[in-house]
Amino acid sequence: MNINTGIASVFNQDVDFSFFLIFTISILCLVGITGFMIFSIFKYSKKNNPTPSNLEGHTGLEIIWTVIPTILVMFIFYFGAKGFIKMRTVPENAMEIKVDAGMWWWKFTYPNGLEQNTEQGLTVPVSTPIYLPLHSADVIHSFYVPAFRVKMDVVPKPLGTKDNYTWFEAIQEGDYDLFCAEYCGQNHAQMLSKVHVLSKIDYDAWLAGQTSEQKKLQSESPGKALLLSKGCFACHSSDGSKIIGPSFKGLFGKMETVVTNGEERNILVDEAYIKQSILEPSKDIVKGFQPIMPPLPVSEQEIIDIIAHIKELVEE
Ligand code: CUA
């Protein structure tokens, strides 16, 4: 039996072996027990045994049905623990990429400071162990790459504790789905991203290209760079199209109908309104939209940069 979807990471064999071991034992037990039960129904039916007989205990049988399952669960424990220890032991030479999860975005931060959002995904070199500290900005998320057999909760850090972590080593180039596997609110499904596994040469070229592009954007339009890194464009377009939230285009200086505490009123979109929409997004909701945006923790300077970028997106 081979249902393997290809060996994409160093964990596949261990995880798949444990899975098929348990699956096979379960099937054998199901067939064996059900088969014996059906056999007994006929063999010991009233028709075949008109007079009931008394059954005494059987020490030999009891030893067998205690010893065999004990051996089976020890087998499962051995292979499970072996895989688990490997998945929790990060190799010394691993490359660190910080993972931040929030409602409802991912952020991947590289050792050189490069940041990638949900849409851009996580790009890694092949055959390189990647250490991923997992930080949550709000609720519990789960970092899940099915093809790599990696699934780890991203838990908000209680005081005095450490962030959770995971690691993997991709052994096949390609694009793989990355999900959030913990229901984390209305737009949980939006936390769908990709892991791009490149050859080492392609990765180095990609990293250099992305880094210089990001530096250029940060100096030319820090507001746009920030909105990009925070994943804001997943909900707010720059071209006037309506996605989950209002478009940024032509927003500044516009009259909007907003709902405040259930009452409609007209407001002018100015600096103060944009600032409030970032820090307290659910206070005045633009009519026709859902109050789902979480507050964005940003500094005063960052708010000024964001407003400057929104001002640039004027209606033609
Ligand atoms: Cu994050 Cu579901």
Side-chain angles (χ1 to χ4, degrees):
M1 186 162 39
N2 187 8
I3 315 178
N4 206 333
T5 50
I7 298 189
S9 94
V10 291
F11 299 145
N12 288 52
Q13 272 170 328
D14 287 316
V15 174
D16 293 0
F17 181 78
S18 296
F19 174 78
F20 286 115
L21 178 72
I22 296 170
F23 188 67
T24 309
I25 291 171
S26 304
I27 292 284
L28 291 177
C29 288
L30 177 75
V31 171
I33 293 168
T34 313
F36 184 68
M37 195 178 76
I38 292 169
F39 164 79
S40 300
I41 288 170
F42 290 103
K43 175 100 201 273
Y44 302 103
S45 66
K46 193 178 175 189
K47 203 175 87 202
N48 291 341
N49 302 271
T51 27
S53 53
N54 215 8
L55 280 180
E56 293 299 323
H58 192 299
T59 314
L61 264 181
E62 286 186 22
I63 289 171
I64 290 171
W65 76 47
T66 306
V67 169
I68 292 179
T70 306
I71 293 171
L72 285 179
V73 294
M74 289 320 283
F75 249 108
I76 296 173
F77 173 76
Y78 172 75
F79 288 106
K82 192 173 150 243
F84 177 78
I85 291 166
K86 181 170 166 184
M87 295 174 95
R88 293 308 283 170
T89 313
V90 183
E92 293 275 329
N93 59 343
M95 179 177 124
E96 179 175 326
I97 301 175
K98 289 194 180 77
V99 177
D100 284 87
M103 293 154 87
W104 290 275
W105 44 266
W106 295 103
K107 188 172 88 180
F108 309 107
T109 310
Y110 289 74
N112 70 354
L114 174 73
E115 289 179 350
Q116 296 282 285
N117 64 23
T118 314
E119 226 174 305
Q120 293 162 320
L122 172 63
T123 302
V124 296
V126 75
S127 302
T128 307
I130 311 289
Y131 166 55
L132 304 150
L134 304 170
H135 181 78
S136 168
D138 36 50
V139 298
I140 303 177
H141 302 273
S142 180
F143 180 90
Y144 182 33
V145 186
F148 294 171
R149 310 293 188 263
V150 166
K151 189 188 206 179
M152 192 53 70
D153 275 0
V154 188
V155 185
K157 188 162 57 172
L159 222 61
T161 57
K162 278 186 177 171
D163 272 326
N164 203 355
Y165 67 92
T166 190
W167 79 277
F168 65 74
E169 180 180 333
I171 52 180
Q172 212 174 61
E173 288 170 38
D175 293 340
Y176 303 92
D177 288 326
L178 191 171
F179 299 97
C180 174
E182 186 69 56
Y183 183 68
C184 53
Q186 184 167 350
N187 286 353
H188 154 73
Q190 204 179 295
M191 293 183 73
L192 173 60
S193 188
K194 287 266 183 223
V195 181
H196 309 287
V197 181
L198 304 179
S199 71
K200 285 180 185 168
I201 295 168
D202 287 350
Y203 172 79
D204 288 339
W206 171 87
L207 186 70
Q210 281 292 308
T211 308
S212 70
E213 217 172 278
Q214 193 158 82
K215 287 224 171 91
K216 194 166 154 243
L217 187 65
Q218 272 162 350
S219 65
E220 283 171 4
S221 178
K224 187 178 178 184
L226 190 68
L227 291 170
L228 200 64
S229 85
K230 299 277 181 194
C232 304
F233 295 122
C235 298
H236 302 279
S237 77
S238 297
D239 60 2
S241 57
K242 182 181 167 177
I243 325 175
I244 293 163
S247 176
F248 289 141
K249 188 171 180 182
L251 185 63
F252 196 84
K254 191 179 172 185
M255 290 301 292
E256 283 276 32
T257 306
V258 297
V259 181
T260 311
N261 297 326
E263 268 179 51
E264 281 184 26
R265 60 195 190 103
N266 289 317
I267 54 107
L268 174 75
V269 178
D270 56 6
E271 274 99 350
Y273 175 73
I274 293 177
K275 183 179 173 182
Q276 187 204 285
S277 299
I278 294 169
L279 299 175
E280 296 173 275
S282 51
K283 211 165 173 194
D284 301 314
I285 298 297
V286 178
K287 202 179 161 198
F289 293 96
Q290 294 293 316
I292 53 168
M293 177 174 154
L296 190 65
V298 283
S299 70
E300 283 292 325
Q301 184 55 48
E302 286 173 327
I303 290 172
I304 293 167
D305 292 340
I306 290 171
I307 292 172
H309 177 63
I310 293 175
K311 277 182 179 171
E312 284 168 13
L313 299 168
V314 285
E315 206 91 58
E316 279 120 37

